[in-house]
């Protein structure tokens, strides 16, 4: 596991909001925080320090963050704060621009300028991922970045989608990650952030060659994941889709994947997708060969051999073991508040009643 976790239920009810406010004040740019739910507050946050980049997935009941000009003068860490909204919504008034941000929106604030961030009137809770990085690491002027501040920016296309996928995956997998993973994760986070700024500002030429290579590799991996069902997916198809040569594609993977070949990475992703489906009780009646074909593995005998090599047992036996003790899950309590997540799941934020 990486990162530290705060859960409000670990604190006595009467102290929860004050404790949360103190925690945020220690880890983020100072701001005045208030909530209509202070007496019955709920929040959860994980703090991940990835080198120069700080990532904090969180969920909380509606609250307002207000950073005044006086606070800026007293203390300015000189960060850009990027937020990915997954559920609920936030209104942002910053740098002369006001907008409301909902699920699958990204927005940026500059700690060197005042801001006022709070929920819309009908909002019942917020889930999302915040990211902070030093302004000095972004290779364009603050005046230029000012064009982005508080704007509603899409997390569903281009580098924004890659960034959102990385952040949500990081939040979901944090319990299984190890401290040794932190340096590489920090590099990926910074490269995606810089590439996203560059795309939004049309300043790709300011990126280093290494960052451009990392971003291209992320694009290629996302393309592969979207097309794993296609049995014809192969290096020539992938290279053509990204306007590069097959030899350069292989070089990218050798550099970015510890020498793993493109074909090996595709096979591993397909097998992992089939493994997840075989362990899914809802797909228990679906034939094994049908599941394999969904992942572009159309030759049953080859699939069975590859699966046994990867996981130690044939796919049919794996399914029996994985689903043998599966029991129906209890329905979520009706008093919970549903909010969206990046992968279509429902994240539920207790409402404290």
């Amino acid at each position: 596991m990486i990162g530290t976790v705060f859960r409000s239920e670990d604190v006595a009810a009467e102290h929860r909001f004050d404790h949360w406010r103190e925690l945020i004040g220690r880890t983020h740019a100072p701001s005045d925080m208030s909530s209509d739910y202070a007496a019955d507050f709920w929040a959860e946050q994980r703090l991940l320090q990835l080198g120069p980049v700080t990532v904090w997935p969180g969920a909380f009941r509606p609250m307002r963050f207000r950073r005044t000009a006086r606070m800026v003068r007293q203390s300015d860490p000189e960060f850009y704060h990027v937020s990915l909204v997954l559920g609920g919504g936030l209104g942002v008034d910053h740098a002369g621009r006001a907008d409301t941000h909902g699920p699958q929106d990204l927005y940026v604030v500059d700690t060197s300028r005042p801001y006022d961030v709070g929920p819309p009137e009908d909002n019942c809770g917020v889930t999302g991922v915040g990211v902070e990085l030093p302004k000095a690491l972004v290779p364009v002027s603050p005046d230029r970045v000012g064009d982005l501040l508080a704007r509603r920016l899409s997390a569903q296309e281009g580098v924004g989608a890659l960034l959102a996928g990385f952040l949500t995956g990081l939040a979901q997998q944090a319990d299984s990650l190890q401290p040794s993973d932190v340096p590489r994760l920090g590099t990926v986070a910074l490269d995606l952030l810089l590439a996203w700024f560059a795309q939004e500002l049309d300043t790709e030429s300011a990126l280093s060659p290494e960052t451009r290579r990392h971003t291209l590799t992320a694009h290629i991996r996302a393309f592969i994941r979207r097309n794993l069902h296609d049995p014809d997916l192969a290096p020539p198809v992938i290279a053509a889709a990204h306007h590069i040569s097959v030899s350069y594609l292989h070089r990218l993977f050798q550099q970015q994947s510890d020498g793993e070949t493109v074909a090996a990475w595709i096979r591993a992703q397909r097998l992992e997708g089939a493994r997840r489906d075989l362990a899914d009780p809802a797909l228990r009646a679906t034939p094994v060969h049908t599941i394999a074909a969904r992942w572009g593995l159309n030759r049953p005998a080859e699939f069975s051999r590859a699966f046994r090599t990867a996981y130690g047992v044939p796919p049919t036996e794996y399914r029996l073991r994985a689903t043998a003790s599966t029991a129906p899950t209890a329905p979520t309590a009706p008093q919970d508040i549903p909010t969206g997540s990046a992968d279509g799941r429902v994240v539920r934020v207790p409402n404290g009643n």
Side-chain angles (χ1 to χ4, degrees):
M1 184 186 80
I2 62 173
T4 56
V5 178
F6 166 79
R7 296 184 180 90
S8 56
E9 58 261 36
D10 296 335
V11 179
E14 65 271 22
H15 301 308
R16 286 175 183 170
F17 185 69
D18 287 341
H19 189 81
W20 169 256
R21 186 163 52 186
E22 180 183 349
L23 174 71
I24 296 297
R26 290 201 309 265
T27 56
H28 308 298
S31 62
D32 180 38
M33 288 165 275
S34 60
S35 174
D36 292 339
Y37 302 90
D40 187 23
F41 195 65
W42 185 94
E44 183 171 310
Q45 175 183 287
R46 183 188 294 270
L47 190 67
L48 304 167
Q49 190 65 53
L50 307 178
V53 177
T54 303
V55 180
W56 45 287
F60 49 88
R61 300 201 76 187
M63 63 178 299
R64 181 182 181 189
F65 302 84
R66 185 167 177 265
R67 181 164 166 79
T68 65
R70 181 179 180 183
M71 289 176 173
V72 172
R73 290 193 299 270
Q74 290 176 337
S75 175
D76 182 13
E78 297 192 355
F79 285 156
Y80 288 125
H81 177 88
V82 180
S83 282
L84 168 65
V85 181
L86 298 177
L90 286 168
V92 180
D93 187 346
H94 180 48
R97 185 181 293 117
D99 209 341
T100 300
H101 307 269
Q104 298 306 297
D105 286 340
L106 288 153
Y107 70 85
V108 184
V109 298
D110 180 347
T111 62
S112 300
R113 305 192 192 191
Y115 55 74
D116 193 340
V117 178
E121 290 184 3
D122 60 347
N123 188 259
C124 55
V126 179
T127 61
V129 185
V131 186
E132 289 180 341
L133 75 159
K135 293 165 61 176
L137 294 181
V138 180
V140 292
S141 71
D143 288 342
R144 187 72 186 274
V145 177
D147 294 339
L148 299 182
L149 300 180
R151 280 176 45 195
R152 185 188 303 168
L153 304 167
S154 175
Q156 300 187 70
E157 57 188 17
V159 182
L162 294 178
L163 177 61
F166 172 77
L167 294 176
T168 53
L170 183 64
Q172 292 162 9
Q173 299 299 322
D175 284 335
S176 61
L177 296 171
Q178 301 300 317
S180 58
D181 298 317
V182 167
R184 171 166 288 187
L185 291 172
T187 297
V188 173
L190 182 58
D191 284 336
L192 286 175
L193 285 163
L194 296 182
W196 178 69
F197 274 103
Q199 183 184 70
E200 294 293 341
L201 295 169
D202 194 23
T203 58
E204 282 89 348
S205 61
L207 296 175
S208 70
E210 184 177 12
T211 294
R212 286 199 289 270
R213 286 194 298 271
H214 289 170
T215 306
L216 176 57
T217 304
H219 274 291
I220 291 169
R221 287 178 172 171
F223 174 85
I224 292 172
R225 291 190 185 98
R226 290 195 303 271
N227 291 280
L228 288 171
H229 64 280
D230 183 355
D232 295 326
L233 184 69
V237 174
I238 297 165
H242 294 85
H243 311 290
I244 59 176
S245 68
V246 174
S247 60
Y248 185 58
L249 172 66
H250 287 305
R251 280 203 306 276
L252 281 174
F253 263 75
Q254 289 172 353
Q255 294 167 358
Q256 306 295 328
S257 302
D258 295 327
E260 187 175 29
T261 66
V262 180
W265 197 82
I266 293 173
R267 183 171 58 252
Q269 297 302 304
R270 284 173 165 163
L271 289 171
E272 177 59 17
R275 184 200 64 77
R276 288 195 304 268
D277 284 355
L278 289 170
D280 187 347
L283 299 176
R284 188 178 289 152
T286 305
V288 170
H289 67 85
T290 301
I291 286 177
R294 286 177 178 175
W295 291 97
L297 300 163
N298 290 338
R299 298 174 180 173
E302 289 185 11
F303 167 64
S304 184
R305 285 196 298 271
F307 193 96
R308 181 196 286 269
T309 299
Y311 301 109
V313 294
T316 301
E317 184 178 343
Y318 179 86
R319 166 183 268 178
L320 289 173
R321 292 182 183 181
T323 60
S325 60
T326 302
T329 55
T332 306
Q335 67 267 24
D336 288 358
I337 301 165
T339 59
S341 83
D343 56 3
R345 297 176 301 108
V346 171
V347 178
R348 296 195 174 267
V349 181
N351 70 5
N353 292 335

